[in-house]
Every structure is written in structure tokens, then in C-alpha cells.
Amino acid sequence: MRIHPQNMSPVSCAGTCRAAIRAGILAQAVAMILMMPAVAGQAPSAASGVGNTASDAEVTAFMKSLKENPNAAYGISPSAKQVSLLLGAIQREPGGPWIYYLTGICFGSEHSQAQKLPPDQRAPAYARAIEYLGAAKEALAKGAQSDPQNREWKDKLGTADAALALAYVESGTRNKEARAIAEGLLVSNTVTNWNYGNLIYNMHSLLGRIDLHEDNVAGAKRHLAASANTPGSPQLNSFGPDFVLAAELLRKGERDAVLAHLDSVAMFWGRPKPKPGPGRAEPDKIKEWKQIISAGQIPEEHQWRVAGLSSVDSTPVDANAVQSARRQMCINQLQMIEVAKDQWKLENRKPEDATPAFADLVRYFPGGNIPKCPEGGTYVIGQLSQKPLCSVAGHELPKVRR
């Protein structure tokens, strides 16, 4: 995923949480790191492991400098010394923001740089990351024992876990542990926070890649479809998701599944421009990628090569934001139904007054899954000349002519 200076920050929460602010600051640092040029064949810099090389005085000074000036985080690097300082800070103050710096800046930088190396040279970078992320998780788990139900502790542990799961997947090791982490984060994910849509997309993407490691292409395709079953998020809507799982499926020859996935992503990402004639709108970038894929190629942009990082933040948002997220998910699905109707009409040469059933449209939905309103509403497909409807008030497509 491309990281942008505004990425990972919520759009509207009266009383925006400190954790989300930290995530926004963190993303700015990651954006700067991702812009650094890579040196071909050069491994990331934390080559000497994660031993405790920082003295107590150095850790104290390091923590003090970041508390007094959070912008000093921009100077953090993935060197062995900086990793040691952050691990020392986590051990001393596990409730602080240090895990976000370790995962977002140190691991984020190493992850991005490792993906620029030949595949057979990446394993050492992820082995190092697994070592220091595991050490951080152990320190956080010890700290969380004092208050195991505390939401902020759970978020910090979840952030460490999400980074570990990605490192496992990229290294091609410990699929069982990575799967358990991703499934656990999905189970604990709720629609009451701004990060809800991100975890749906990112964890299903990881699970699909794990399936591919185990030669389960059908499972990977199911997770690809499930990843797009998200209401979106401030980040997904603005900058788009990563397509690493889609790229891996293209290498397996699964072009149709990836094209369907792009249609689903178009429901929440980008500022759409109308297509001529009937149908929906879609971002120009997605249209360009579909043309590349239809020509038998794989897009080369960063999003297709480097999987995005996940930061767990379950800070509750106000009820209006929750309702807005659910409404947007429903609207996305009404758009899916409308697209399916258009495809059914064209393929079967149906007149405008024809009314398809869900059984007629199921083949056009990603993964063959019939959409369901997150508020429990009932969908009415209607005639081809009509827009699909939801029984929940306010869940409706914009009133524009088809």
C-alpha cells in the first residue's frame, strides 16, 4: 500500500484519540522512508540482530527526546541501535507509543526495502524483523498482564501481531501462526472504530496469501473477494488498498477473479468519473489496470508489489460515524447489485422492464456471495430500469440517471 502523509488518520472523531494522532504522525515518517532510494542488492540496515546494545542512559535520553518532540520520530531508522532503543523503551514503558514506531518506521522501512531485493535475498530481513517484533510482543504481553481487559493494551499487542503476521507471510514461514493472528484480528474487529475497514481488507489479503503458500488457490480467491467486502476507510477511500494478493493470483492465471476484485474495490476507492453510457463510475487508475490485466500483464505500481502495514486501533467513534460506516457498506453493495444487473442485461439481451432474481445475478458477485445489508435490511432488485433498494431508511444509491 502506498503510505501518504495523511494515511492512517481518522477523518472525523470529535475527541480524536491520541493513538490515532500517533498513527498519523507515524505514517508521515513512513512516507518519508518509502521515498528513499533503494540500493540494488543491499540488504536493510539492521544486519546485526536485535541484541540489547543500548544502555539505560541512552534509552532514557531517547524516550525523553521523543516525548518532548514527537517529530523526532522522523529521525528513527531501522538500524540495530535504533531497534534496541525502541525495544528498551517498550520494556520500560510498554504502554507508550513505542510499538507504533517500531512497526511503522523500523519494520515499515525494512519491509519496503526488502521488497526491492530479489526474492531469494529477502529472508534475512524478515528473520530480523520477526526477532525484534517477537521481543516487542513479549514485552507488551508482560505489561498487559496488569490490566488484560484494557483496550489500549490489546491494540498495541494487535499492532505487534499484525506486523508479525506480515513478516511471517513475507518470509514464507510459520503459516500456522500467521493464520491464527489474521483470523483472531478479524474476529475481534468491530464496526465501532475507524480502522474497521482496513483490517477487513488487510487480514483477508494475508489469509489469501497464506492459502497460496499452501497451494489452495480456491481459498485465496475466496479471501480476495472477502477483502473487498469492506465499507472502506479514510485510507482505503483516499489512497486505495494494496493488490499483492491479486498480483500473486494473476501469476496463477486467475485473471477473472482479479478483474472482479477491481470492480469491487472501485465501489469504495477514488473519486469516480462517469463512464459513457449505462453502468457505474470507476476510478481512472482501476480502468487502466484492468486494461493492463486484460492484456495479460501485471501492473507494476508499488501497490501491486508491497503489502500494506496494519495498525490496530479499536478506539470507539461516535454513533453517527458507526451508522455512516454501515450505510456506506450497504451503498457499496447496492452498487454491486446494480453492476450485476447491467451485466445480466447485456449478456442476456434483456429489456428494461425485465426483473432478475438473485439466482440470476449470483455469478456476477465477487466470490459468488450475495450481498447482505450490515443493518439487516432486505434488498429489492427491481426492474432493470430501476435502482436496487434497501429496506433500511437512508440506505440508497444517489438519485442520478442511469
Side-chain angles (χ1 to χ4, degrees):
M1 179 185 293
R2 292 175 297 174
I3 309 246
H4 184 278
Q6 293 176 329
N7 206 9
M8 300 175 78
S9 61
V11 272
S12 72
C13 310
T16 304
C17 63
R18 287 177 294 177
I21 293 174
R22 285 197 300 270
I25 294 172
L26 181 59
Q28 295 183 43
V30 176
M32 295 169 64
I33 290 170
L34 295 183
M35 292 172 65
M36 297 189 304
V39 179
Q42 179 176 316
S45 56
S48 58
V50 296
N52 187 10
T53 60
S55 67
D56 288 344
E58 288 174 320
V59 172
T60 298
F62 175 76
M63 295 172 67
K64 181 180 179 182
S65 68
L66 283 176
K67 287 180 177 179
E68 292 177 348
N69 178 22
N71 287 336
Y74 299 157
I76 294 175
S77 72
S79 68
K81 185 69 172 184
Q82 295 277 284
V83 167
S84 181
L85 287 168
L86 283 167
L87 287 176
I90 291 170
Q91 291 165 356
R92 187 179 300 183
E93 188 183 77
W98 320 111
I99 186 60
Y100 299 108
Y101 299 142
L102 184 70
T103 57
I105 298 179
C106 293
F107 177 56
S109 177
E110 290 206 284
H111 171 49
S112 182
Q113 295 296 317
Q115 291 298 307
K116 297 171 184 177
L117 298 172
D120 60 354
Q121 296 180 23
R122 296 173 186 171
Y126 290 109
R128 286 190 299 274
I130 289 169
E131 186 180 355
Y132 65 68
L133 292 171
K137 178 182 177 180
E138 183 178 351
L140 288 168
K142 289 180 180 178
Q145 290 175 358
S146 62
D147 189 3
Q149 299 306 312
N150 184 288
R151 178 188 53 74
E152 290 192 10
W153 281 113
K154 291 181 178 180
D155 286 354
K156 290 178 172 65
L157 278 166
T159 295
D161 263 340
L164 269 171
L166 179 57
Y168 291 153
V169 170
E170 296 293 358
S171 67
T173 62
R174 302 175 70 171
N175 283 342
K176 182 178 179 180
E177 289 92 332
R179 186 183 295 279
I181 289 171
E183 290 177 346
L185 288 174
L186 283 172
V187 167
S188 62
N189 194 28
T190 69
V191 76
T192 58
N193 68 87
W194 65 270
N195 199 43
Y196 171 72
N198 294 328
L199 282 179
I200 289 175
Y201 194 95
N202 293 345
M203 293 305 107
H204 276 296
S205 295
L206 277 184
L207 288 167
R209 296 181 67 195
I210 293 168
D211 278 343
L212 283 182
H213 288 176
E214 299 172 350
D215 296 322
N216 182 2
V217 175
K221 289 166 62 177
R222 286 194 295 270
H223 282 298
L224 182 73
S227 71
N229 189 24
T230 170
S233 72
Q235 303 75 34
L236 293 174
N237 296 359
S238 297
F239 311 111
D242 75 71
F243 297 93
V244 174
L245 172 59
E248 292 180 357
L249 279 167
L250 284 176
R251 295 186 187 98
K252 297 286 187 180
E254 299 294 338
R255 183 175 66 179
D256 290 345
V258 173
L259 290 173
H261 179 66
L262 289 176
D263 284 336
S264 297
V265 168
M267 303 301 176
F268 61 79
W269 179 38
R271 295 181 177 179
K273 296 180 180 179
K275 291 173 62 178
R280 74 198 184 294
E282 65 181 4
D284 288 344
K285 179 55 69 175
I286 288 183
K287 183 187 296 185
E288 175 188 330
W289 286 340
K290 289 174 69 176
Q291 292 171 345
I292 291 171
I293 292 166
S294 296
Q297 301 174 349
I298 300 176
E300 296 182 354
E301 281 90 342
H302 183 85
Q303 286 167 285
W304 290 80
R305 295 180 290 103
V306 182
L309 304 177
S310 296
S311 177
V312 178
D313 183 356
S314 62
T315 305
V317 296
D318 60 60
N320 288 336
V322 173
Q323 293 300 316
S324 177
R326 291 175 175 168
R327 175 179 172 273
Q328 186 58 54
M329 176 180 278
C330 183
I331 290 172
N332 291 347
Q333 295 181 155
L334 287 171
Q335 289 176 321
M336 289 170 57
I337 296 171
E338 187 172 42
V339 170
K341 289 171 67 176
D342 285 338
Q343 292 175 318
W344 182 75
K345 172 188 173 181
L346 291 173
E347 289 187 9
N348 296 280
R349 299 183 180 182
K350 294 292 184 178
E352 286 290 308
D353 60 355
T355 302
F358 273 115
D360 298 315
L361 304 182
V362 67
R363 64 185 292 259
Y364 304 110
F365 297 134
N369 297 315
I370 295 175
K372 295 181 181 180
C373 172
E375 293 279 7
T378 299
Y379 288 141
V380 176
I381 297 175
Q383 295 181 355
L384 292 174
S385 60
Q386 300 171 325
K387 289 186 172 297
L389 301 174
C390 178
S391 60
V392 176
H395 289 202
E396 58 185 16
L397 290 171
K399 291 180 173 61
V400 295
R401 295 183 63 185
R402 288 169 58 89

